[in-house]
Amino acid sequence: MIAAVDIGGTKIAVGIVDYDGKVLARLERPTGADGGYEEAFRRVAEMLRAVAATAQTRITGIGIGSTGPVYPLTGEFGDVNFFPHWQGENPVADLSKTFDVRVAMENDGDAAALGEAGWGAGRNKSKLIYVTVGTGIGTGLLFDGQLYRGVDQAHPEIGHHLVDPSGPPCVCGFRGCWESLAAGPAMVAWLERNAPPEYPHRADLTAKRISELARRGDDWAMRAVNNEGRYLGLGLANLVTMFVPEIIVLGGSVMKSAELFLEEIRKTIAASCRLVPFAKTELALASMGEDSNLIGAARVWYHRFGWEGGTRAI
């Protein structure tokens, strides 16, 4: 049984995942970054022992998916915005020493891509791109069974590729990044910026709320949804043109309302990608559900070590 650790900016989840990608037990706690790495590590170790006891099993390996940047080949945290004081700490080495098992870590977008490739919507696809759309846009690129890494083990930040140079400011310091135009908060910002002052639904707007209003026929919400589909489509069209993958798997909270966006996404891809066989790139929805991050973290271990036991890397 493989233990999985999902490290996010606000929460850490751990679980036990079997060979078929089923979560047998899970726990979740606040990340508590301000309390320091040592306290967070102690809590993770405690949670891992608890889920192993619940599942009545022994941990034989640990996979980690973490918000980045991380250094997968050394096991260290980079300069992560959510916990900057953890830079240089090595959860891979620490968990390996504590539990006497092999441990592997990847960026959480790459972990999710591995999960979908191994157990989900991208099974048996050799050229896969995973895109998660929520408060930000994250991706994972898997080509011929291998994760794509840049120089210095860097994870490509495709959510910050330029889509519109005249677009809104982005958290990265640039303007018009894909994330600033198509992530969940961008939907809210567009509606707040464009709807008239008397628009009755301004209070407590979220991407989820806008999607609900669009389903009810609210005119401004439908315009926001159309704009969202257009910018999601532009970013995805760039991926199709550059990489021509077999499949793009779409996940994240915004894509829970995918039926509102897919028509516009497909129209945009068709109009933008005429020099490549875009129709052969499948668009699929992520299939791992609420435990996708944990399942992806477990798959990180199989990807790194599973071949030694006869398990396919993807």
Side-chain angles (χ1 to χ4, degrees):
M1 296 294 176
I2 302 303
V5 181
D6 169 36
I7 304 174
T10 59
K11 68 175 179 65
I12 295 176
V14 306
I16 298 293
V17 182
D18 70 12
Y19 184 80
D20 295 317
K22 180 180 179 182
V23 178
L24 304 181
R26 74 185 310 279
L27 281 173
E28 185 177 302
R29 298 284 186 272
T31 301
D34 293 340
Y37 171 77
E38 289 185 4
E39 173 58 24
F41 177 80
R42 183 198 63 77
R43 195 161 55 249
V44 167
E46 182 181 90
M47 293 162 67
L48 286 169
R49 293 186 183 100
V51 292
T54 298
Q56 298 181 320
T57 191
R58 179 176 64 88
I59 293 173
T60 55
I62 301 172
I64 305 170
S66 175
T67 186
V70 299
Y71 294 95
L73 303 185
T74 63
E76 296 173 304
F77 289 117
D79 185 10
V80 183
N81 285 338
F82 296 108
F83 29 88
H85 302 300
W86 296 12
Q87 186 173 3
E89 300 288 358
N90 194 316
V92 169
D94 293 338
L95 285 172
S96 181
K97 181 179 179 181
T98 299
F99 289 92
D100 192 27
V101 296
R102 290 180 298 183
V103 182
M105 177 168 70
E106 295 286 356
N107 173 280
D108 51 4
D110 288 335
L114 288 170
E116 290 293 341
W119 287 315
R123 195 165 189 170
N124 299 320
K125 304 290 187 182
S126 66
K127 295 175 176 61
L128 175 148
I129 297 177
Y130 175 81
V131 178
T132 178
V133 186
T135 54
I137 294 180
T139 59
L141 282 66
L142 193 62
F143 300 139
D144 298 324
Q146 297 299 318
L147 288 170
Y148 176 81
R149 306 186 199 281
V151 66
D152 198 27
Q153 309 171 42
H155 170 81
E157 293 292 345
I158 290 175
H160 294 279
H161 83 274
L162 179 63
V163 171
D164 182 355
S166 64
C170 183
V171 294
C172 72
F174 204 39
R175 301 186 72 94
C177 296
W178 191 22
E179 181 173 298
S180 73
L181 292 159
M187 283 183 69
V188 176
W190 185 91
L191 198 153
E192 289 177 337
R193 189 168 59 249
N194 288 279
E198 65 273 15
Y199 181 66
H201 304 295
R202 283 184 173 273
D204 302 319
L205 274 178
T206 63
K208 180 180 179 181
R209 175 68 173 149
I210 292 170
S211 295
E212 291 171 349
L213 290 167
R215 290 189 186 96
R216 297 178 192 172
D218 181 89
D219 180 58
W220 278 104
M222 292 171 68
R223 295 187 197 188
V225 161
N226 187 69
N227 184 73
E228 172 74 4
R230 170 70 171 162
Y231 278 114
L232 282 174
L234 286 172
L236 292 171
N238 289 340
L239 296 183
V240 172
T241 296
M242 287 187 286
F243 300 109
V244 203
E246 287 181 74
I247 187 169
I248 297 177
V249 180
L250 302 170
S253 59
V254 170
M255 297 314 299
K256 290 179 180 178
S257 300
E259 78 281 0
L260 297 175
F261 312 119
L262 283 174
E263 182 179 356
E264 186 64 28
I265 287 171
R266 290 192 171 103
K267 282 170 56 179
T268 303
I269 289 174
S272 306
C273 302
R274 294 178 181 175
L275 298 182
V276 297
F278 66 87
K280 293 186 177 181
T281 294
E282 178 185 353
L283 294 182
L285 299 181
S287 61
M288 298 281 102
E290 296 299 324
D291 287 324
S292 61
N293 285 356
L294 276 180
I295 294 168
R299 196 69 196 182
V300 166
W301 189 92
Y302 282 107
H303 183 71
R304 190 79 58 83
F305 303 121
W307 61 271
E308 296 178 14
T311 305
R312 290 186 60 207
I314 58 171

